[in-house]
Structures are given as C-alpha cells and as structure tokens.
Amino acid sequence: MAAPPNLPPPDKLLEMADQYLKELEKGPWPSHVAEMRKTGYPLHVYGVGLVARKSPWGPSVVKTKRLTGVLARIARDWVPKGGEEVHFRVFHTPGRFLPTSYLRGIIKVAREYGIGLVEVVGQTGAMVINVKSKEVGDAMIEALRQIGTDVGGSGDAIRELNTCVGPALCEFALYDTLKWFTEFRKDKKIQDAIAVPGFPYKFKIKFSGCPMDCGRANRADLGFIGTWKGAPEVDQELLRRKIEAGEVDPNDLVSKCAGGAISWDAEKKELRIDGSRCKKCMYCIRRAYPAIKPGRERRVAVVVGGGSKGRYGPKLGWFVGYLKPDEAQKGIELAFKIIEPWDKEAQAKVRLGDYILMAGLYQFIEKAGIQLEDTPRLIEKVPDNVPYRVLPEEERKKYAQFAEELRREVGI
C-alpha cells in the first residue's frame, strides 16, 4: 500500500500520533488507549494510522505447525519505527459465558506468551489473544488446551461459531441456541472443517434465539433464527391493564406493524393479529411483553448466504426452510449439504452468498438437496410462453397481478 499523500516527516508524524493518543485518554470515561499502554502492543502504529487516516498495517506471516488460527500483520514501510502484531483466534465458550477460572487461565496465557492483551468480543466470533511471534508454538497451544480451549477459526474453513446468550439470560429465546452451539462444536466433521482449510472461502455459522437476531445469524453463510408459526399470543386482560397504565399505545402497535397484521377494536378493547400477515419482526412483543408473546409452535428458520462483505456487496441471508427446535443434528447435516455444491463449483475467494447469486437461489436449493418445512420450490408446470417460469407460483402470481394493474393504469 502506498503511503498517504502529504504526510509530515517521521519525527513530526510520531509527535502528532502521540498527541492523538493522549487526546483519546482524556475524559471521565474508560480509555482503550490507557488500557493498551499497559500492554506490549505497538501503540505508536495505531496512532500513526489515526494521523494518516489509513490502515498502518500490512499482511505478514508467522511460521506455525498445524495451526489455522494464527494471523500476523506488520507495519507498512511508511510507519516510523515499524512494529508487528500477531494474534491467535481462540475458541469461545457458548454464549460467551466465561467462568472466572477460565478467564484467569486466558489472562495467564496472554501474559506468559503474549503481550497481555485479550480481545473478548470481536466480529469474528472468536476470542483474540495477541502474542509474541517467537512464542507461537506447541507450548502455548498446550497451555490453551489445559484450560479447555484451542486455536482455530481462520483461513478458508468454517470459522468460529457464534451464538446469542439464548435461554440462559433472554426471555425471548425461542430455541436453545447454547445447546445447538455445543452440538455443532463437538461434531467431528465440523471440527475437521474448522481445523483444515479446504473450502473456496470462509464459512460462518451463527445462531440467534429470536428474530431480533442478536447473534447476527442473518449475516452468516448459514444462520439459524428462532421464530414461530402463526400469530403471536395476546393476553387481552394483561394488555388492557398495560394500556390503562400508559405502558402500551395500541395505535402505535397498529401503525408500526411491518405486515399490517394488527388491528385494535377500541370498543371491545381487543387487539387482533393476523398470523398470515405477521412478519415476525417482534415490535409488538418488545413493546407489550408479556401481554404479547411469540406463538407456542416454535420453529428455527434457516437462512443461507448472508455476509457483510463479498463481490456483490453486503447481503442478508435467503430463507430456505424451517427446522424444529430439537433438530440440531439435522442442522449439522444440512450444513454440509449446503457446503457441497459451493465447494465443488465456486471459484476461490467466492463467498456462499455470491455463489448463490451466480447459480440462482432455487437452482442452489435443488443442487444442495434442501428439503425442509416450507422450503421454496420451483414451479413444476408452467406454459412455455411464460418467460418467468423459474419463479415459485406465489411470486409469479404477484408479478402477473402487478403487470395487470399497470396495464389498466396506462389504458392498454
């Protein structure tokens, strides 16, 4: 990467970087810079990046044996004094519940083999321990395994799994995300796919207990999101008390319902929800809980192809059907069905979502052999003169209706 234009001389650049860092230590709130000064992190590189408004890090490598979770970066040649940053991606506990004994062990490893810096919450789903490059070896791996974890989750493989806190802390959890996480983690095929990169690109699996999607499952290559069938349950008497107390505005629920499914009978003081129109956005549930709750018939929606980056930009996952809350093993089998056509046909560095865009969603469903409840299907019999024969029947009717309305409007 070329140096940013109009950079000051090296000495001046370091001076400005130090001023930026000191500014970030001011104020009554905790400062990440103040905490990082306590470690061996090359803080001046971070400061130079702030001054230049450009990443000061470039890719690097570090020699490892049989490991996929070790990443290295080196300061670019325009950064005075240089520096390196090496880190291990370490497996998390389900829901990121950290027993004190476990956390003490992680801190001990970080201090003995690293620079004393641990990133507990990150976008990768993994815990990150910054290490000294000379300490990357079997001794550190053994120390991590002694406290019940391991290194992994990098390269063109299944990355570290990610889940919300699920039923352990959240009243909205509609299936046991922590159990699913554990079932996936202990499966040998999943572990092998994490440890040995062999796919066209990275593959992320995430679990969210409800449609609020705290686990960001809709942004994963394969996501599992808790939901329900039909309309939410309404406790009319409790809802009336909440309305009378000013806690809930029924007109607000009606106006902000994403599917237009809610109606309010002011005379009877009853709220009705049309399950066929409910989009499961949970706005009414969040506003009026527990007077309004998710329906009792729970399901796990399966979405594929999501991701914040890709050749065609960020995208949310496509829905491909439902599993039951006790079908974690079927979820594991489904993961490898989904991976198979992508692994065979996709070019290197093509995410699953980009491959689906190229192949077509319904063709991908057919290739992967996905057979779940409510899986979208290609229509079987369509007249030859219909140009959009690959669409499902429901979508085809919508387009036909739109075309007819447009024809009437323009008078043809």
Side-chain angles (χ1 to χ4, degrees), residues 101-117:
S101 58
Y102 177 88
L103 193 54
R104 286 193 182 99
I106 290 291
I107 293 171
K108 182 180 179 182
V109 170
R111 287 175 174 168
E112 288 185 4
Y113 298 95
I115 62 176
L117 182 63

mmCIF file of all heavy atoms in Angstrom, residues 101-117:
data_model
loop_
_atom_site.group_PDB
_atom_site.id
_atom_site.type_symbol
_atom_site.label_atom_id
_atom_site.label_comp_id
_atom_site.label_asym_id
_atom_site.label_seq_id
_atom_site.Cartn_x
_atom_site.Cartn_y
_atom_site.Cartn_z
ATOM 1 N N SER A 101 -12.504 -19.027 36.525
ATOM 2 C CA SER A 101 -11.305 -19.863 36.417
ATOM 3 C C SER A 101 -10.815 -19.912 34.972
ATOM 4 O O SER A 101 -9.603 -19.880 34.704
ATOM 5 C CB SER A 101 -11.614 -21.278 36.906
ATOM 6 O OG SER A 101 -12.685 -21.849 36.154
ATOM 7 N N TYR A 102 -11.762 -19.972 34.044
ATOM 8 C CA TYR A 102 -11.419 -19.996 32.612
ATOM 9 C C TYR A 102 -10.781 -18.668 32.205
ATOM 10 O O TYR A 102 -9.753 -18.643 31.521
ATOM 11 C CB TYR A 102 -12.696 -20.255 31.806
ATOM 12 C CG TYR A 102 -12.533 -20.233 30.306
ATOM 13 C CD1 TYR A 102 -12.178 -21.390 29.617
ATOM 14 C CD2 TYR A 102 -12.748 -19.070 29.570
ATOM 15 C CE1 TYR A 102 -12.046 -21.381 28.238
ATOM 16 C CE2 TYR A 102 -12.612 -19.058 28.193
ATOM 17 C CZ TYR A 102 -12.265 -20.215 27.530
ATOM 18 O OH TYR A 102 -12.130 -20.193 26.165
ATOM 19 N N LEU A 103 -11.382 -17.574 32.643
ATOM 20 C CA LEU A 103 -10.873 -16.252 32.277
ATOM 21 C C LEU A 103 -9.488 -16.012 32.882
ATOM 22 O O LEU A 103 -8.605 -15.432 32.238
ATOM 23 C CB LEU A 103 -11.855 -15.172 32.738
ATOM 24 C CG LEU A 103 -11.655 -13.761 32.183
ATOM 25 C CD1 LEU A 103 -11.626 -13.779 30.661
ATOM 26 C CD2 LEU A 103 -12.747 -12.827 32.671
ATOM 27 N N ARG A 104 -9.280 -16.466 34.101
ATOM 28 C CA ARG A 104 -7.947 -16.335 34.721
ATOM 29 C C ARG A 104 -6.905 -17.110 33.913
ATOM 30 O O ARG A 104 -5.769 -16.664 33.740
ATOM 31 C CB ARG A 104 -7.981 -16.837 36.164
ATOM 32 C CG ARG A 104 -8.689 -15.898 37.137
ATOM 33 C CD ARG A 104 -8.410 -16.297 38.579
ATOM 34 N NE ARG A 104 -9.116 -15.422 39.499
ATOM 35 C CZ ARG A 104 -10.271 -15.725 40.098
ATOM 36 N NH1 ARG A 104 -10.837 -16.895 39.851
ATOM 37 N NH2 ARG A 104 -10.846 -14.876 40.915
ATOM 38 N N GLY A 105 -7.299 -18.289 33.422
ATOM 39 C CA GLY A 105 -6.384 -19.070 32.604
ATOM 40 C C GLY A 105 -6.021 -18.366 31.311
ATOM 41 O O GLY A 105 -4.854 -18.358 30.898
ATOM 42 N N ILE A 106 -7.019 -17.747 30.669
ATOM 43 C CA ILE A 106 -6.772 -16.999 29.428
ATOM 44 C C ILE A 106 -5.826 -15.831 29.690
ATOM 45 O O ILE A 106 -4.880 -15.576 28.923
ATOM 46 C CB ILE A 106 -8.105 -16.477 28.842
ATOM 47 C CG1 ILE A 106 -8.954 -17.643 28.308
ATOM 48 C CG2 ILE A 106 -7.858 -15.446 27.754
ATOM 49 C CD1 ILE A 106 -8.402 -18.308 27.075
ATOM 50 N N ILE A 107 -6.052 -15.115 30.789
ATOM 51 C CA ILE A 107 -5.200 -13.967 31.128
ATOM 52 C C ILE A 107 -3.768 -14.426 31.410
ATOM 53 O O ILE A 107 -2.797 -13.778 31.001
ATOM 54 C CB ILE A 107 -5.784 -13.210 32.343
ATOM 55 C CG1 ILE A 107 -7.112 -12.547 31.950
ATOM 56 C CG2 ILE A 107 -4.796 -12.165 32.846
ATOM 57 C CD1 ILE A 107 -7.872 -11.966 33.117
ATOM 58 N N LYS A 108 -3.640 -15.556 32.080
ATOM 59 C CA LYS A 108 -2.301 -16.082 32.368
ATOM 60 C C LYS A 108 -1.549 -16.409 31.081
ATOM 61 O O LYS A 108 -0.365 -16.077 30.925
ATOM 62 C CB LYS A 108 -2.422 -17.333 33.248
ATOM 63 C CG LYS A 108 -1.075 -17.928 33.643
ATOM 64 C CD LYS A 108 -1.255 -19.161 34.515
ATOM 65 C CE LYS A 108 0.101 -19.761 34.868
ATOM 66 N NZ LYS A 108 -0.054 -20.999 35.693
ATOM 67 N N VAL A 109 -2.247 -17.048 30.136
ATOM 68 C CA VAL A 109 -1.629 -17.362 28.848
ATOM 69 C C VAL A 109 -1.231 -16.087 28.122
ATOM 70 O O VAL A 109 -0.131 -15.990 27.542
ATOM 71 C CB VAL A 109 -2.594 -18.201 27.981
ATOM 72 C CG1 VAL A 109 -2.066 -18.316 26.552
ATOM 73 C CG2 VAL A 109 -2.782 -19.590 28.576
ATOM 74 N N ALA A 110 -2.111 -15.078 28.156
ATOM 75 C CA ALA A 110 -1.839 -13.819 27.461
ATOM 76 C C ALA A 110 -0.614 -13.113 28.031
ATOM 77 O O ALA A 110 0.130 -12.455 27.303
ATOM 78 C CB ALA A 110 -3.062 -12.908 27.538
ATOM 79 N N ARG A 111 -0.412 -13.239 29.315
ATOM 80 C CA ARG A 111 0.727 -12.575 29.949
ATOM 81 C C ARG A 111 2.020 -13.362 29.751
ATOM 82 O O ARG A 111 3.089 -12.775 29.571
ATOM 83 C CB ARG A 111 0.454 -12.382 31.441
ATOM 84 C CG ARG A 111 -0.582 -11.278 31.707
ATOM 85 C CD ARG A 111 -0.935 -11.192 33.176
ATOM 86 N NE ARG A 111 -1.817 -10.054 33.443
ATOM 87 C CZ ARG A 111 -2.462 -9.866 34.587
ATOM 88 N NH1 ARG A 111 -2.317 -10.736 35.575
ATOM 89 N NH2 ARG A 111 -3.231 -8.810 34.743
ATOM 90 N N GLU A 112 1.942 -14.691 29.811
ATOM 91 C CA GLU A 112 3.159 -15.506 29.713
ATOM 92 C C GLU A 112 3.665 -15.623 28.277
ATOM 93 O O GLU A 112 4.868 -15.608 28.034
ATOM 94 C CB GLU A 112 2.891 -16.904 30.281
ATOM 95 C CG GLU A 112 2.747 -16.923 31.787
ATOM 96 C CD GLU A 112 2.598 -18.332 32.324
ATOM 97 O OE1 GLU A 112 2.690 -19.284 31.519
ATOM 98 O OE2 GLU A 112 2.400 -18.482 33.540
ATOM 99 N N TYR A 113 2.734 -15.751 27.323
ATOM 100 C CA TYR A 113 3.130 -15.997 25.945
ATOM 101 C C TYR A 113 2.848 -14.818 25.016
ATOM 102 O O TYR A 113 3.286 -14.820 23.872
ATOM 103 C CB TYR A 113 2.402 -17.230 25.404
ATOM 104 C CG TYR A 113 2.733 -18.495 26.138
ATOM 105 C CD1 TYR A 113 1.932 -18.942 27.179
ATOM 106 C CD2 TYR A 113 3.855 -19.241 25.799
ATOM 107 C CE1 TYR A 113 2.226 -20.114 27.866
ATOM 108 C CE2 TYR A 113 4.165 -20.414 26.481
ATOM 109 C CZ TYR A 113 3.343 -20.846 27.520
ATOM 110 O OH TYR A 113 3.644 -21.992 28.188
ATOM 111 N N GLY A 114 2.121 -13.829 25.510
ATOM 112 C CA GLY A 114 1.736 -12.712 24.654
ATOM 113 C C GLY A 114 2.145 -11.378 25.219
ATOM 114 O O GLY A 114 3.093 -11.267 26.000
ATOM 115 N N ILE A 115 1.379 -10.375 24.858
ATOM 116 C CA ILE A 115 1.705 -9.014 25.276
ATOM 117 C C ILE A 115 0.727 -8.507 26.335
ATOM 118 O O ILE A 115 0.689 -7.328 26.652
ATOM 119 C CB ILE A 115 1.697 -8.061 24.061
ATOM 120 C CG1 ILE A 115 0.313 -8.001 23.414
ATOM 121 C CG2 ILE A 115 2.753 -8.491 23.051
ATOM 122 C CD1 ILE A 115 0.214 -7.003 22.280
ATOM 123 N N GLY A 116 -0.088 -9.425 26.872
ATOM 124 C CA GLY A 116 -1.029 -9.051 27.929
ATOM 125 C C GLY A 116 -2.312 -8.436 27.431
ATOM 126 O O GLY A 116 -3.004 -7.749 28.184
ATOM 127 N N LEU A 117 -2.657 -8.673 26.170
ATOM 128 C CA LEU A 117 -3.850 -8.063 25.587
ATOM 129 C C LEU A 117 -4.784 -9.156 25.073
ATOM 130 O O LEU A 117 -4.365 -10.031 24.312
ATOM 131 C CB LEU A 117 -3.461 -7.129 24.435
ATOM 132 C CG LEU A 117 -4.597 -6.373 23.741
ATOM 133 C CD1 LEU A 117 -5.291 -5.428 24.709
ATOM 134 C CD2 LEU A 117 -4.049 -5.590 22.548
#
